Amino acid sequence: MRNSDEWTSFQSINARRRAVRDFDGSPVSDADVRAILHEALLAPSSGNLQPYELHWVRDPEVKRALAVACEGQRAAETAGTLVVVVGRIEVGVRTADAQHAYVESSGLDERSKSYHRAQLRKFRTFLRFAPLLCWSPIQALLALLFPSLTLLPVGSGGVRHWVARSSIYAAQTLLLAAAARGLDACPMEGFSPRHVAKILGLPRGAVVPIVIALGRRAETARIEPRWRRSFDDAVVLHGRDDRVA
């Protein structure tokens, strides 16, 4: 049965979440950022491998450099702080090891442990073989012949797409958590990944799907009425609609 209070709360949070491009520049407390990041880490991910890191940028010099790498976007320049979402398959490998240790030492019953062991074996095999370069030309050919296979997670490019998709779940959760915390955020895709990687000292192979500005909206921030496509235009219904009984 639907909990009306929870639904109303979610609608309020979802309505408050806006892509704010002008912040007042005031600092965001560590307690607020930590609380938001903790919630973001509860996001789902493929195989629960969580193949990402959330780089919380506290250093003013690093923040200024990132604002330049974000091509002068006002949100990056005026936000109280920045969070850079970084995807790395090595993090997924590390997570699989940590998850295995957790399963073996947990109080889960044997049936649950067996399930998780099997899942981890499957995903460890994926993490070991999917990134091999030999898959890349095969994946490219399949994508050319069958466009629906474009995002098949094999080959270096396919695995980077997979890592980025899991990272975006955490990013979206972070945006909603910020709204629930009474803060504002702006997800930014317009930046130089190469420069961001250099500024943060990221290893080769890391992907940066999104940079998020966090702070409080300025009084002059432009918040227009929200426009979205209609339900009937965006939702493709397969099966009977209960409204037409």
Side-chain angles (χ1 to χ4, degrees):
M1 184 176 180
R2 189 181 72 209
N3 186 316
S4 59
D5 290 339
E6 290 182 354
W7 180 242
T8 301
S9 296
F10 176 77
Q11 286 182 304
S12 175
I13 292 166
N14 204 25
R16 190 187 189 285
R17 187 217 59 74
R18 302 298 299 269
V20 173
R21 291 172 176 79
D22 291 291
F23 295 87
D24 65 8
S26 63
V28 182
S29 73
D30 284 1
D32 281 338
V33 180
R34 287 182 184 278
I36 291 167
L37 294 178
H38 272 294
E39 294 305 311
L41 295 177
L42 295 178
S45 61
S46 181
N48 196 25
L49 294 177
Q50 307 157 57
Y52 53 79
E53 299 168 328
L54 304 178
H55 288 243
W56 173 12
V57 181
R58 305 172 69 186
D59 187 303
E61 291 299 322
V62 176
K63 179 179 176 294
R64 277 192 284 271
L66 285 173
V68 174
C70 288
E71 303 175 354
Q73 293 190 64
R74 300 191 310 275
E77 293 175 343
T78 61
T81 192
L82 298 175
V83 176
V84 182
V85 181
V86 178
R88 293 177 55 207
I89 192 169
E90 295 83 2
V91 176
V93 173
R94 194 170 70 225
T95 304
D97 292 339
Q99 190 176 169
H100 180 264
Y102 161 75
V103 169
E104 295 303 328
S105 63
S106 70
L108 295 172
D109 59 40
E110 193 55 36
R111 182 181 177 185
S112 292
K113 285 185 176 182
S114 295
Y115 168 78
H116 288 294
R117 288 179 190 130
Q119 289 293 102
L120 283 167
R121 280 196 298 270
K122 178 178 70 176
F123 280 103
R124 277 174 156 168
T125 300
F126 162 75
L127 292 170
R128 181 179 179 184
F129 292 106
L132 295 178
L133 289 176
C134 64
W135 290 109
S136 295
I138 298 173
Q139 195 272 345
L141 179 60
L142 287 172
L144 181 63
L145 297 174
F146 308 101
S148 61
L149 299 180
T150 297
L151 297 180
L152 193 67
V154 295
S156 57
V159 169
R160 283 196 292 272
H161 278 297
W162 171 80
V163 164
R165 286 198 296 275
S166 280
S167 302
I168 289 298
Y169 299 145
Q172 179 62 31
T173 304
L174 190 157
L175 296 175
L176 290 171
R181 193 78 177 184
L183 294 172
D184 296 293
C186 182
M188 297 176 289
E189 297 181 57
F191 55 86
S192 168
R194 186 170 62 86
H195 289 155
V196 170
K198 183 177 181 180
I199 292 166
L200 297 180
L202 301 179
R204 184 176 178 81
V207 294
V208 184
I210 198 163
V211 177
I212 298 174
L214 277 177
R216 296 176 181 82
R217 65 184 70 177
E219 290 184 4
T220 56
R222 190 177 180 87
I223 308 295
E224 297 179 343
R226 185 181 263 154
W227 180 87
R228 291 294 188 272
R229 292 159 58 201
S230 70
F231 182 94
D232 290 336
D233 183 44
V235 178
V236 179
L237 184 63
H238 298 267
R240 187 173 68 91
D241 189 340
D242 289 341
R243 293 177 305 172
V244 189

